[in-house]
Amino acid sequence: MNAEEWVDLEQLMFVEEPLDPDEPRVHPAWLPPEAFRTLGARRVLVHGDGLLVDTVLDEVSRACARYGGRVWHNPSWDVDVDLVLALRGAGELPGPAVEAARAGAGDGTLGTEGFLLTHAGPVTVVLADAPAGLLYGLFHVVRLCAAAFDPTRPPERHRPALRRRMLNHWDNVAVHPVMGQVERGYSGGSIFWQDGRSRRDLARIREYGRLLAASGVNAITVNNVNVARTEALLLTDRLGDVAEIADVLRPYGIRVHLSVTFAAPMVLGGLSTADPLDEKVRGWWAETTRNVYDRVPDFGGYVVKADSEGQPGPFTYGRDHADGANLLADALAPHGGVVHWRAFVYNHHQDWRDRSTDRARAAYDHFAALDGRFRINVILQVKYGPVDFQTREPVSPVIAAMPATRLAVELQVTQEYTGQQRHICHLGPWWSEVLRFAPWGPGGRSVADVVAGAAGAGGGLVAVANTGDDRFWTGHPLAQANLYSFGRLAWNPELDPTAVLDEWMTLTFPPSATADPALVRRTLHEIMDDSWRTYERYTAPLGVGFMVNPDGHYGPGVDGYEYSRWGTYHFADRDGVGVDRSRASGTGFAGQYPPYWAEVYETPETCPDELLLFFHHVPYRHVLRSGSTVIQHIYDTHFAGVEEVAAMRRRWQTLNGMIDPAVYERVAERLDEQVRSATEWRDQINTYFFRKSGVPDERGRRIH
Ligand code: GCV
């Protein structure tokens, strides 16, 4: 390839001049025009009508205009085509779709979001029963590239395992004095709000909706779960701003939800109470919710953080969380909405001297006894671990404890505790581990099964978003892969996270626009596949968690939380480290699990190494199941982690000149910071434990 061709390809890959002058100049993430080349060169027939069918038509038309294909919409005559995208039940189907249906492949309902990909002779056929299915089918064709047009490819039927696949934005409308525009946001400002008002950058929001739909996300909240006064107004006076966002996201099958404050009847309605059993309060919520649906007919519902970290809730009135959640559920029920009630409730004014109180126990202690009391349209939203989005935690015991409640699991795509998008930390493997975990023991139902629920009636999967107004959406360009992986795993939790990463790479760095696709792919895999475990190696060891700088949660602060009120301690002394959460001698947290895991976690001998210090306080010379001692493991993993990050940086440098220079530079800068920060982590952790234990490194490496 000569230099001139390369420049052309580079422009195709990274569109600096959008087709539409109103479109924002941002990185196209996993939907660069080049990813549509195969589709866009084909003759395509779109059959059906409706808002989302128009979206399909628009996507296909743009691709065909760019790459020389042709598109027909509901033609009344026979046309020769390569691809048919057809809605069943929308009048007489085009010939190839009839043929595909006759072949039997089209039997059975595809649901509101499913689709079938099949072939009728040389023609590729996508069938769906509802417009959203057609849109997902289209993005599947894009993902598959040429493979979608292989007539020998067996028919594929796709339906999402989880009905609800939601992103929560912790975006503030007004800039918070401590948390800023986006709480725990590492990608610039909010795409929705700026300095107290709506940004009204609808082109950017539309582009976001498109990316989310292509990953499988179908719901979103647009404001922080910590709801301050300005944000509270989104429910009433500023509802127009919410309606505007909903209008833009609707063509991509994404429903808007709102985070609301439990105190809204007082803050907004001027009532003297927010007591969930008070008739005036109930009336206020019913009327307010009716108004919301008048403006946003497909409004999704409310997300609530109550009696948690200072947010108001039902405890003030001597009521419990079921009373609180049911109040909102009753207001939403006539309109088909749901309330996501968060289970992240704990005492954030703990006395560090008190070793009997255990923050890990809190969600189960608050909620397990309420099982069966929640309305059908309440979804209890449970963080994946019992503490707070750590790099490693056991799966929350709440997930197995509430068979009569709809549960959603909450993940954190924004990398609050996993390197804040300055570090490469591909989280797909971690989420996959969580989703595949079998809370009742190996071979039993998985976490994914629980959140899918019977006949799809579960609560689904939720994640805190990592996006902002940054040019690359996610600050670190490679953090886009986490957002993409979340959507794909929410669609199908059984997907192999490395295969999902591969999909993301193919779309984001299309082989047809990449100088050496094999090198790029291999290098990205080498850098990203194991990056979560690398991050784990150089940060808090063996599941003990935290050890972060309390001021912003970035970088090491081994004792940063040790004498604080937050309930996140490691209890390191000269003899050992870790939290005794056993039933026999500790806080009893291990006993919150069903018998299989309660037994496994109960003793240091049976507890998996990676969670040892989460469950047990052990001497430094305790021998792990791996054969190493705890102290030697700490030294070895911290030295290894930094070496791995240095290797990541060297590998990245081999891509210089191979990919979009802006992506290259941004990642290169952040890798410099990752090497610096990982080194700091290594030195502080190793030095801390060397000084506490007095045990030298067996290999005599430098510890300060
Ligand atoms: C939105 C953690 C974060 C908080 C966040 C909270 C939550 O504690 O540090 O910023 O608040 O989780 O999930 O509600």
Side-chain angles (χ1 to χ4, degrees):
M1 175 173 301
N2 65 36
E4 264 173 39
E5 281 175 63
W6 170 240
V7 170
D8 281 342
L9 292 179
E10 198 177 299
Q11 279 174 357
L12 283 173
M13 190 170 68
F14 186 77
V15 195
E16 279 293 323
E17 289 175 5
L19 287 175
D20 174 352
D22 292 327
E23 273 181 14
R25 292 159 60 93
V26 291
H27 187 259
W30 50 88
L31 292 181
E34 185 64 22
F36 289 75
R37 176 181 284 277
T38 315
L39 169 80
R42 300 299 206 278
R43 297 163 302 168
V44 186
L45 188 162
V46 178
H47 172 84
D49 289 297
L51 186 64
L52 275 76
V53 178
D54 289 346
T55 308
V56 171
L57 196 57
D58 178 55
E59 289 287 345
V60 175
S61 304
R62 284 202 284 160
C64 289
R66 181 179 280 266
Y67 293 111
R70 285 194 65 184
V71 53
W72 289 267
H73 183 210
N74 294 338
S76 53
W77 63 97
D78 284 345
V79 280
D80 275 345
V81 291
D82 307 302
L83 171 66
V84 171
L85 293 147
L87 203 55
R88 296 198 296 199
E92 197 183 326
L93 283 174
V98 175
E99 204 183 309
R102 203 178 298 132
D107 290 352
T109 172
L110 296 163
T112 52
E113 298 185 309
F115 61 90
L116 174 80
L117 174 73
T118 185
H119 290 85
V123 182
T124 300
V125 179
V126 175
L127 291 176
D129 287 341
L134 214 56
L135 184 63
Y136 291 124
L138 168 76
F139 285 127
H140 187 64
V141 168
V142 172
R143 248 189 324 263
L144 288 176
C145 296
F149 296 92
D150 174 358
T152 64
R153 194 179 171 87
E156 296 168 35
R157 181 180 287 271
H158 295 269
R159 284 182 73 160
L162 310 182
R163 206 169 105 200
R164 296 172 191 282
R165 309 178 296 279
M166 182 198 254
L167 277 177
N168 285 172
H169 275 260
W170 286 354
D171 296 16
N172 298 315
V173 179
V175 176
H176 185 276
V178 179
M179 292 299 170
Q181 189 77 65
V182 180
E183 181 152 347
R184 312 304 179 189
Y186 313 106
S187 311
S190 163
I191 57 172
F192 302 115
W193 319 108
Q194 189 172 33
D195 295 334
R197 35 171 62 87
S198 169
R199 281 185 76 138
R200 312 207 59 210
D201 186 351
L202 303 184
R204 179 106 197 221
I205 297 172
R206 184 177 309 118
E207 204 50 37
Y208 189 46
R210 187 173 173 251
L211 287 170
L212 295 187
S215 76
V217 167
N218 68 356
I220 194 170
T221 52
V222 294
N223 65 306
N224 192 356
V225 288
N226 291 332
V227 184
R229 175 147 186 96
T230 312
E231 291 70 23
L233 290 166
L234 293 175
L235 186 59
T236 51
D237 305 35
R238 289 175 171 238
L239 188 55
D241 293 342
V242 179
E244 198 169 54
I245 296 171
D247 288 345
V248 174
L249 294 178
R250 189 170 296 116
Y252 295 97
I254 295 167
R255 292 174 84 170
V256 167
H257 299 233
L258 267 186
S259 298
V260 296
T261 167
F262 193 75
M266 300 167 78
V267 178
L268 302 172
L271 301 187
S272 58
T273 176
D275 183 347
L277 302 192
D278 182 285
E279 276 314 312
K280 280 202 208 68
V281 169
R282 300 180 69 76
W284 186 87
W285 276 110
E287 195 192 330
T288 303
T289 305
R290 205 176 308 120
N291 290 340
V292 173
Y293 278 89
D294 282 346
R295 295 294 293 277
V296 188
D298 57 350
F299 180 70
Y302 301 138
V303 175
V304 190
K305 172 174 176 177
D307 289 315
S308 167
E309 297 186 334
Q311 293 296 305
F315 286 170
T316 309
Y317 311 97
R319 315 296 183 197
D320 62 28
H321 283 273
D323 297 325
N326 290 344
L327 161 73
L328 301 184
D330 289 345
L332 288 157
H335 315 282
V338 292
V339 52
H340 284 245
W341 191 267
R342 297 179 85 226
F344 182 62
V345 177
Y346 69 100
N347 173 9
H348 68 295
H349 288 284
Q350 200 181 312
D351 182 351
W352 59 267
R353 300 165 191 83
D354 163 20
R355 292 190 61 156
S356 64
T357 306
D358 180 5
R359 174 167 164 181
R361 291 189 58 114
Y364 182 104
D365 286 344
H366 280 293
F367 287 93
L370 301 179
D371 189 36
R373 290 222 9 241
F374 292 99
R375 299 275 192 270
I376 188 74
N377 60 332
V378 172
I379 292 171
L380 190 67
Q381 187 166 310
V382 185
K383 287 191 181 184
Y384 62 81
V387 180
D388 197 0
F389 295 141
Q390 296 302 288
T391 313
R392 178 76 72 171
E393 288 186 51
V395 162
S396 169
V398 174
I399 295 166
M402 305 194 61
T405 307
R406 292 169 78 182
L407 297 179
V409 163
E410 183 177 322
L411 307 174
Q412 197 180 39
V413 188
T414 193
Q415 292 173 237
E416 176 179 0
Y417 294 103
T418 50
Q420 305 199 347
Q421 280 125 262
R422 287 182 250 185
H423 295 221
I424 296 170
C425 184
H426 175 55
L427 291 163
W430 177 211
W431 299 333
S432 176
E433 232 178 89
V434 169
L435 290 165
R436 287 164 192 248
F437 180 77
W440 291 273
R445 294 173 70 217
S446 66
V447 168
D449 293 334
V450 174
V451 298
L461 201 64
V462 181
V464 186
N466 65 347
T467 29
D469 70 354
D470 168 64
R471 178 186 185 189
F472 294 100
W473 297 95
T474 52
H476 200 306
L478 303 188
Q480 291 174 0
N482 282 332
L483 187 62
Y484 181 81
S485 297
F486 164 70
R488 295 290 289 137
L489 289 174
W491 178 280
N492 180 2
E494 284 174 12
L495 290 175
D496 168 6
T498 306
V500 171
L501 188 60
D502 206 71
E503 271 177 17
W504 170 81
M505 284 174 199
T506 309
L507 290 165
T508 307
F509 302 92
S512 54
T514 306
D516 186 343
L519 174 73
V520 171
R521 182 184 298 260
R522 192 177 63 242
T523 307
L524 286 170
H525 275 299
E526 284 167 354
I527 290 172
M528 296 176 78
D529 285 2
D530 208 32
S531 54
W532 158 60
R533 288 190 183 82
T534 294
Y535 186 82
E536 181 182 28
R537 281 180 199 115
Y538 62 78
T539 55
L542 296 163
V544 78
F546 277 82
M547 297 195 166
V548 287
N549 192 335
D551 176 19
H553 296 170
Y554 184 74
V558 184
D559 279 340
Y561 276 102
E562 201 55 17
Y563 308 103
S564 76
R565 61 186 167 95
W566 295 95
T568 52
Y569 314 118
H570 55 69
F571 299 124
D573 58 25
R574 63 177 188 174
D575 300 317
V577 56
V579 191
D580 185 354
R581 293 189 160 111
S582 68
R583 274 168 297 162
S585 53
T587 68
F589 168 75
Q592 292 184 337
Y593 288 87
Y596 178 87
W597 290 109
E599 289 296 305
V600 167
Y601 294 145
E602 178 64 16
T603 71
E605 289 67 39
T606 49
C607 184
D609 284 352
E610 67 272 14
L611 290 172
L612 183 68
L613 302 184
F614 190 95
F615 282 102
H616 298 282
H617 186 90
V618 294
Y620 292 113
R621 293 189 195 271
H622 172 87
V623 179
L624 295 168
R625 290 154 71 91
S626 70
S628 182
T629 60
V630 165
I631 190 73
Q632 194 55 40
H633 173 95
I634 292 174
Y635 297 148
D636 288 347
T637 50
H638 284 76
F639 281 113
V642 173
E643 279 165 26
E644 285 159 23
V645 177
M648 280 181 185
R649 180 166 62 175
R650 283 196 303 278
R651 290 188 170 119
W652 183 256
Q653 285 161 354
T654 65
L655 298 185
N656 197 357
M658 299 272 169
I659 58 169
D660 168 31
V663 172
Y664 178 82
E665 284 306 328
R666 177 71 73 88
V667 174
E669 275 165 26
R670 297 206 172 199
L671 272 164
D672 287 346
E673 166 55 16
Q674 188 170 357
V675 171
R676 186 209 63 76
S677 173
T679 307
E680 192 62 35
W681 269 103
R682 176 196 69 193
D683 291 344
Q684 287 205 24
I685 298 263
N686 282 349
T687 301
Y688 180 93
F689 283 108
F690 174 61
R691 289 182 186 173
K692 282 271 178 203
S693 69
V695 181
D697 172 32
E698 273 171 4
R699 294 173 55 193
R701 289 163 292 194
R702 182 163 167 72
I703 295 177
H704 302 269

